[in-house]
Every structure is written in structure tokens, then in C-alpha cells.
Amino acid sequence: MESLNRRQTLLTIAAASVVLPAVPAAAQTSGSPEGREIAPGVRRVDYSKRETMIPNYKTVSMRDNIYQPGASTSGASMGNDMVCHMLEGELTVDTGSGDTLYKKGDVWSCAKNMPERSKNTGTTVAIMRVIDLLTG
């Protein structure tokens, strides 16, 4: 068995880090046609639902709303509290206090019974991940 040469080992590691560039981590996104259409050009992909440890909520679930450029949704009101995150693209969202533009990486929350209107005002697909906080 060869003895380990500390200097050679360090040089090998340094060389490998130059030759093999680091790849940044990326969140899994749903760009596939799975799910169901909730409005023209908008698909909803539901993921898991579990019990929660957050007081006043029984379960938590996660879904993606995938908007094609120019597509929009307009609901009467939100059925539950939720936390939203823009995975890709951008959306203009009106929750009753005027339009707010959310871009990739933005996070916001909405309360039950707030109005719900969203439109992809960008030129690429927009993916809004929603964490629903459910009482029943």
C-alpha cells in the first residue's frame, strides 16, 4: 500500500476543483403537462398533504400553479390561509390592495377570504408554489 503524500493529495483536490465546476442547487419545478387546467393557460399540480404541528391548522398541502405568458386566474376569494413562492417567472397579483409584481424567489402570504387575481405579465412560464394551511 502506498503511503499518503499530504502535499500531492491537496494538489489533486485543488486541481479537481478547478476542472470540475460547482453546479448550483436548483428547486424541483413542474414544467410537465400533469395536473389539471384551472383557467385557460393555467395548470394546477397538487403534491402531498400532511398533518401539521402549527396551532389552528389541521393539515398543510403543497401545489404549483403554472401560468403560461399572458394567462390569468380570477377567483372570488381565497378558501384558506396560504404562503406563496415564485419558483419561476413573474406574476402580477391583486389581493384587494392593488397590484403587486412578484418575481422569481419572492415569497408572500395571503389570508382566507382575500380576493384572488393573478396574471403572468412576463414573457416566460411562471410557476407559483402554494403552501395551503388548512383548518379542516
Side-chain angles (χ1 to χ4, degrees):
M1 182 171 163
E2 283 183 42
S3 64
L4 292 175
N5 179 326
R6 188 175 189 186
R7 175 180 235 154
Q8 185 60 40
T9 302
L10 290 174
L11 287 173
T12 302
I13 292 170
S17 68
V18 172
V19 175
L20 303 172
V23 178
Q28 179 182 7
T29 60
S30 177
S32 70
E34 61 186 293
R36 63 184 171 91
E37 187 171 68
I38 59 171
V42 182
R43 298 198 68 74
R44 176 178 168 166
V45 179
D46 291 302
Y47 299 112
S48 66
K49 182 177 184 178
R50 305 254 186 221
E51 290 185 12
T52 181
M53 295 180 279
I54 302 171
N56 302 321
Y57 297 104
K58 183 177 181 180
T59 57
V60 61
S61 67
M62 186 171 74
R63 61 187 159 98
D64 285 345
N65 289 342
I66 304 164
Y67 293 74
Q68 297 302 313
S72 62
T73 56
S74 181
S77 65
M78 297 190 199
N80 51 272
D81 297 335
M82 62 185 71
V83 176
C84 301
H85 175 245
M86 283 303 301
L87 287 176
E88 296 293 333
E90 59 186 48
L91 285 176
T92 299
V93 179
D94 179 9
T95 55
S97 57
D99 289 346
T100 303
L101 178 64
Y102 294 105
K103 296 183 178 185
K104 182 177 180 175
D106 287 342
V107 64
W108 69 100
S109 60
C110 301
K112 182 177 180 175
N113 297 323
M114 290 175 70
E116 180 179 19
R117 288 180 291 284
S118 302
K119 182 173 184 173
N120 182 346
T121 52
T123 58
T124 63
V125 170
I127 302 175
M128 176 177 60
R129 176 148 293 166
V130 180
I131 306 295
D132 289 302
L133 303 169
L134 306 165
T135 56

